[in-house]
Amino acid sequence: MDLPRRPKHLPQVQALAAIGQCRLMSLWDQLFAHMNQPVAQILLTRNDIADRTQYLNAQNTFHELLHMGVIPIVNENDTLAVTEIKFGDNDTLSAITAGMVQADYLFLMTDVDCLYDKNPRTNPDAKPIEVVEDIAELVADVSSAGSSLGTGGMSTKIVAARLATSAGVTTVITRSSKPGNIAAIVKYAEVQKALQASMASSRNSLVGDDDQQLADKAGAALELSSSEGRGTPAPVTAEIVDPVSGLAAPLHTRFLPQVHAIRDRYFWLLHGLAPHGTVYIDEGAYRALADKAGLLPVGVVDCDGHFHQQEAVRIVVVKRTPGAPRRAPTSASIAPAAGTDSPPAGGFEKENPAPVEVGRAVVNYSAAEIKRIRGVKGTEIHDVLGYADSEYVALRENVAFFNIEKSRPTTPGLPVDAA
């Protein structure tokens, strides 16, 4: 369309997206036609993922296309999406898609080879980071911004990597100008996995001298790779070379997946839904949820936001203020906080110590209702509200924790992936 730059106004962006979607799919179709490879187009918005039925329909479509040998081309439906229902960047969209289909790998392509401990554009001594085992301990420069033609920067890629690895997906950041490197990186990563398996097998069985030497070499290679990922990477080179197999791969950063992946309904609860508020619970309620019980109002300290029934919220664990009453005051005795129409937060300090978000939940009551029933027993909800849809603020099957060990409820009669 001969535009000098990306438009800023939403109607213009959506109009151009409608034009671009046709041309983009035509290009993909022509490219894959050279290999007799059929492709399909799937356009998504945040609403498609947030609705459980639509999420499962999309997941089933993906699985059927892959079973048929068709490659799905996924993009955000920019012709319909507005700010409230946009993913915001393609990195997040790709990570959610990878988790939805339980992909083996997710490649996040960018304008640098990999993550560095410093900005390589301004620091000649910047060192690449090859392997990241724990994103929480990652120390890297993320100052790279997204291009004028795309969405997202390096920081969004790390967020996407955190999301994808939680679903058991190995995530790779590498240079987009060399897409042919993907196959070499996958081959290299698979060799690393084989070496790790060989080392584990050798240490747990009686082996001959030759096998033991091979296992020792594999162990040394893996320990070297792990140490590089923890902040002592090799000097900057054009490629990475495995010291045992001699296999080379282009520079890249590989995020290892979590051993216990969060999938199915729990992945959807954590990453498919946009939270509309926050429910603060005490440590006793958190322990009860970890033991597979539902969230009762007696364990709720407070809430923030303006959410409704059956909407997603953040679950945050806080310590109660010593001496603070557990039961919420009646609506007539609650004084609104200055400048608001909501009662003041009570029962805990929000800043000291800092609250910790532990998961997400779909709640049975609105924010206004939870404000009134916080601290009471489940059997007393009717006395406070005049009605009771449930004795639980959130059913256990509607709660998911970022820690997989606490996200596997076993509610009798409820399928693991029940809608």
Side-chain angles (χ1 to χ4, degrees), residues 72-112:
I73 308 296
V74 186
N75 211 336
E76 185 161 14
N77 194 350
D78 293 319
T79 62
L80 299 178
V82 293
T83 302
E84 290 77 9
I85 62 172
K86 284 181 68 68
F87 289 97
D89 59 84
N90 287 332
D91 299 322
T92 300
L93 172 59
S94 65
I96 291 177
T97 302
M100 183 189 300
V101 302
Q102 299 180 14
D104 296 314
Y105 288 89
L106 168 64
F107 278 80
L108 301 173
M109 313 301 284
T110 184
D111 58 353
V112 294

Side-chain angles (χ1 to χ4, degrees), residues 186-196 242 245 247:
V186 170
K187 184 176 181 180
Y188 179 84
E190 291 301 311
V191 167
Q192 293 288 301
K193 289 181 183 179
L195 288 172
Q196 187 175 21
D242 181 78
S245 66
L247 185 66

Side-chain angles (χ1 to χ4, degrees), residues 54-401:
Q54 291 180 245
Y55 177 90
L56 292 175
N57 287 341
Q59 188 178 54
N60 291 336
T61 300
F62 276 118
H63 289 161
E64 189 60 31
L65 286 171
L66 295 172
H67 178 72
M68 295 168 62
V70 178
I71 295 178
I73 308 296
V74 186
N75 211 336
E76 185 161 14
N77 194 350
D78 293 319
T79 62
L80 299 178
V82 293
T83 302
E84 290 77 9
I85 62 172
K86 284 181 68 68
F87 289 97
D89 59 84
N90 287 332
D91 299 322
T92 300
L93 172 59
S94 65
I96 291 177
T97 302
M100 183 189 300
V101 302
Q102 299 180 14
D104 296 314
Y105 288 89
L106 168 64
F107 278 80
L108 301 173
M109 313 301 284
T110 184
D111 58 353
V112 294
D113 292 306
C114 59
L115 283 180
Y116 291 86
D117 59 352
K118 302 175 184 177
N119 189 332
R121 295 187 178 94
T122 57
N123 296 275
D125 61 339
K127 297 179 180 179
I129 299 174
E130 179 189 344
V131 177
V132 177
E133 297 181 9
D134 186 353
I135 296 180
E137 298 179 359
L138 176 65
V139 178
D141 183 89
V142 294
S143 57
S144 174
S147 70
S148 61
L149 299 178
T151 59
M154 192 60 75
S155 60
T156 66
K157 287 174 173 55
I158 293 177
V159 172
R162 186 192 305 274
L163 192 160
T165 54
S166 72
V169 181
T170 299
T171 304
V172 177
I173 291 178
T174 192
R175 186 178 290 275
S176 61
S177 61
K178 300 178 181 179
N181 290 343
I182 292 177
I185 293 172
V186 170
K187 184 176 181 180
Y188 179 84
E190 291 301 311
V191 167
Q192 293 288 301
K193 289 181 183 179
L195 288 172
Q196 187 175 21
S198 173
M199 180 184 67
S201 176
S202 297
R203 287 179 175 175
N204 294 326
S205 62
L206 295 176
V207 295
D209 292 339
D210 292 341
D211 290 336
Q212 186 62 59
Q213 290 176 3
L214 177 60
D216 290 341
K217 288 182 179 180
L222 289 166
E223 289 170 5
L224 173 62
S225 175
S226 297
S227 67
E228 289 176 353
R230 288 193 293 267
T232 57
V236 177
T237 59
E239 61 182 16
I240 302 168
V241 180
D242 181 78
V244 175
S245 66
L247 185 66
L251 276 177
H252 64 278
T253 296
R254 188 167 72 256
F255 297 82
L256 302 185
Q258 288 187 8
V259 176
H260 301 288
I262 299 174
R263 288 176 174 163
D264 302 321
R265 182 176 180 83
Y266 312 109
F267 179 82
W268 173 73
L269 285 168
L270 290 173
H271 304 297
L273 300 176
H276 293 269
T278 302
V279 171
Y280 300 94
I281 65 174
D282 60 27
E283 293 169 320
Y286 179 52
R287 287 193 296 270
L289 286 169
D291 290 336
K292 315 308 181 189
L295 177 58
L296 291 166
V298 70
V300 175
V301 181
D302 202 4
C303 66
D304 282 335
H306 298 280
F307 52 87
H308 300 91
Q309 294 180 13
Q310 301 306 312
E311 288 189 335
V313 298
R314 304 175 189 87
I315 298 296
V316 174
V317 178
V318 296
K319 289 187 177 181
R320 288 185 179 272
T321 302
R326 177 178 291 273
R327 180 185 295 271
T330 61
S331 57
S333 65
I334 297 177
T340 71
D341 57 0
S342 301
F348 73 99
E349 295 290 338
K350 289 189 178 181
E351 301 299 332
N352 187 24
V356 178
E357 181 184 3
V358 295
R360 303 282 170 84
V362 174
V363 291
N364 294 325
Y365 293 95
S366 68
E369 291 168 328
I370 292 176
K371 287 279 189 183
R372 295 177 61 189
I373 64 175
R374 58 188 171 94
V376 308
K377 296 180 180 179
T379 55
E380 298 174 345
I381 293 177
H382 189 278
D383 297 334
V384 177
L385 298 180
Y387 56 88
D389 294 329
S390 172
E391 65 177 310
Y392 294 102
V393 171
L395 300 176
R396 185 56 184 86
E397 56 264 26
N398 287 334
V399 178
F401 291 114

